[in-house]
Amino acid sequence: MPLRIAYIISIAYIFLFLSCTSRSVISGKEDYTDFPQEQELKAKTILLDTALFRYPFRLHIGDRKAIVLDLHGTDYFFHAFSYPDFRYLSSFGKRGDAPQDMLSAENCRWNGAFLWTLDSNKSELTRFEFALSGDSLLRKEAVNLDKDILRALDFVMCEGSAFIIPDYSGDSRFCKVCRDGKLLHKFGTIPTANEDALKNARPALAQAWRSFIDYNPRNGVLAAVTQLGEVLEIYNLKDSTHVVRIGPHGEPEFQISEGYGIPTGIMGFSDVQVTDKAIYTVFHGRSFKDIARDAQKGVSHLDGGQYIYVFSLIGKPLKKYVLDHYICGISVDEQLGVIYATDVNRDEPILEYSVKTI
């Protein structure tokens, strides 16, 4: 299974575009230094009845199904399993150049019984529905995204059948997109202290602040965590508050060299989930300086982060889990008290961690 490929591709995406707006008021901006509770967790391996994966990056559970995104899938990007027994059902999202194939896959999201996927290379969202047999997915429709949206790398569904997509133009933080893919409006600003970058390199700054996002329609909380640095943003779309929490490693760091942004600092978060009670994140914390130094010595590291950070819905640090594996993606089942995780370094990549309710 290839190592560090996802990071290399993601970091390359961060600085693909270099062209710029006003800042909005932040309701609360605070630093955090530590967590009041810390606990070590040991995983139980989920034994699957099939070997499919090259780089299982994301895991989403809904409608008694578990969907795994294989970022570098050879034939298909997505694989469906029954839940909670993880019995293999089928694969979908065929990789290829045909009109109904996918060139890339960034994420998938449940919307009731439907499943939406994002292909950044085609700038397309696709809706799938399970067949009546319940063991295969049917492609129902495709939505082409507005050309004003620069390379969508993540998305969530929100009220009114709209989509929220991170904005990498430098104009704002997010784009709100209607059901037919048209841009409705942009909102939010990058909460950086880097005044020089705000004035002279906003698009590069926006790419450095590339974030993974999640949204819970039941409480209206939209959370974003930065892939570089250690920043959590919380937008409550019901009361319009915006909270920023910055950890010990600070905001994303980068340098501009010959027109290109070079990431420095640390590899930050790789996933986030907003539940009804809390915000769960996967954190790495490894510095690029150390990664480069070890690479020169021929030392390779396992992909992923060894920590799950838990915050309240207003950003208060609650708990830090220290894991016995390095993971990329998570899916939290608060009712069962379980966190499922993907470990791209193993042939059996699906892990189960038992946790107490936060």
Side-chain angles (χ1 to χ4, degrees):
M1 191 174 290
L3 299 180
R4 290 198 300 275
I5 297 177
Y7 293 166
I8 294 170
I9 291 175
S10 296
I11 295 301
Y13 285 166
I14 290 175
F15 299 102
L16 284 174
F17 305 98
L18 283 174
S19 118
C20 288
T21 171
S22 61
R23 304 174 67 189
S24 60
V25 177
I26 299 172
S27 303
K29 186 174 183 178
E30 295 181 11
D31 294 345
Y32 66 88
T33 57
D34 207 349
F35 290 80
Q37 298 182 59
E38 181 175 317
Q39 181 182 348
E40 294 184 359
L41 293 180
K42 295 192 178 300
K44 169 187 172 184
T45 299
I46 300 296
L47 298 177
L48 305 176
D49 57 1
T50 184
L52 296 165
F53 308 110
R54 293 188 64 202
Y55 205 98
F57 192 57
R58 286 283 178 263
L59 172 65
H60 291 289
I61 294 173
D63 196 34
R64 294 178 296 175
K65 307 287 194 306
I67 307 297
V68 179
L69 160 61
D70 187 354
L71 200 62
H72 304 310
T74 304
D75 299 313
Y76 295 91
F77 285 110
F78 299 97
H79 307 286
F81 297 82
S82 59
Y83 179 78
D85 58 348
F86 282 90
R87 177 177 54 85
Y88 173 71
L89 298 175
S90 63
S91 299
F92 65 102
K94 189 176 185 299
R95 185 173 194 148
D97 297 323
Q100 294 194 353
D101 291 348
M102 298 184 70
L103 297 176
S104 67
E106 306 303 326
N107 212 338
C108 63
R109 300 287 180 181
W110 287 99
N111 183 231
F114 298 111
L115 190 80
W116 286 86
T117 65
L118 170 62
D119 184 336
S120 61
N121 285 342
K122 294 176 72 173
S123 194
E124 183 178 83
L125 289 159
T126 304
R127 181 171 64 91
F128 290 87
E129 181 181 3
F130 272 91
L132 293 177
S133 61
D135 59 1
S136 61
L137 285 105
L138 306 175
R139 189 177 189 268
K140 288 296 185 179
E141 67 171 308
V143 175
N144 294 316
L145 294 174
D146 197 308
K147 293 182 179 180
D148 289 334
I149 300 171
L150 288 182
R151 195 173 182 87
L153 295 178
D154 203 354
F155 77 106
V156 293
M157 304 286 299
C158 63
E159 288 81 357
S161 298
F163 306 98
I164 294 176
I165 295 172
D167 178 27
Y168 295 113
S169 69
D171 292 342
S172 62
R173 199 72 175 98
F174 298 101
C175 302
K176 189 168 184 180
V177 180
C178 67
R179 184 65 170 69
D180 62 2
K182 302 300 182 184
L183 177 64
L184 294 173
H185 62 85
K186 296 183 177 184
F187 67 95
T189 57
I190 300 171
T192 181
N194 189 339
E195 296 291 340
D196 182 63
L198 279 171
K199 292 179 181 178
N200 304 307
R202 288 188 182 182
L205 179 69
Q207 309 312 315
W209 278 72
R210 186 254 171 105
S211 298
F212 301 107
I213 64 176
D214 193 40
Y215 176 66
N216 188 328
R218 291 181 293 276
N219 50 36
V221 171
L222 170 68
V225 292
T226 55
Q227 187 179 27
L228 306 179
E230 190 175 350
V231 181
L232 163 69
E233 289 182 80
I234 303 168
Y235 291 78
N236 190 312
L237 302 188
K238 292 188 176 181
D239 62 17
S240 300
T241 56
H242 177 205
V243 174
V244 181
R245 295 291 181 257
I246 303 176
H249 294 92
E251 66 177 72
E253 297 178 12
F254 70 103
Q255 298 174 346
I256 296 180
S257 176
E258 298 181 357
Y260 293 92
I262 309 299
T264 59
I266 67 151
M267 178 65 71
F269 299 93
S270 66
D271 202 5
V272 58
Q273 182 176 343
V274 182
T275 68
D276 292 345
K277 300 178 181 179
I279 299 170
Y280 295 75
T281 67
V282 178
F283 186 70
H284 296 221
R286 188 174 291 154
S287 74
F288 287 102
K289 181 179 179 180
D290 290 345
I291 293 173
R293 180 199 63 210
D294 290 344
Q296 289 179 344
K297 295 178 179 179
V299 178
S300 61
H301 294 278
L302 297 176
D303 280 4
Q306 204 174 5
Y307 309 101
I308 294 176
Y309 289 174
V310 187
F311 300 86
S312 74
L313 296 176
I314 57 172
K316 178 181 178 182
L318 298 178
K319 198 162 190 175
K320 174 182 179 180
Y321 290 115
V322 182
L323 311 179
D324 59 344
H325 291 266
Y326 288 83
I327 67 170
C328 287
I330 55 173
S331 185
V332 182
D333 189 326
E334 282 185 325
Q335 289 186 332
L336 294 181
V338 171
I339 299 176
Y340 294 97
T342 59
D343 180 349
V344 301
N345 309 287
R346 309 175 76 240
D347 291 333
E348 294 287 353
I350 310 300
L351 305 174
E352 177 185 310
Y353 289 100
S354 294
V355 296
K356 293 182 179 179
T357 302
I358 298 298

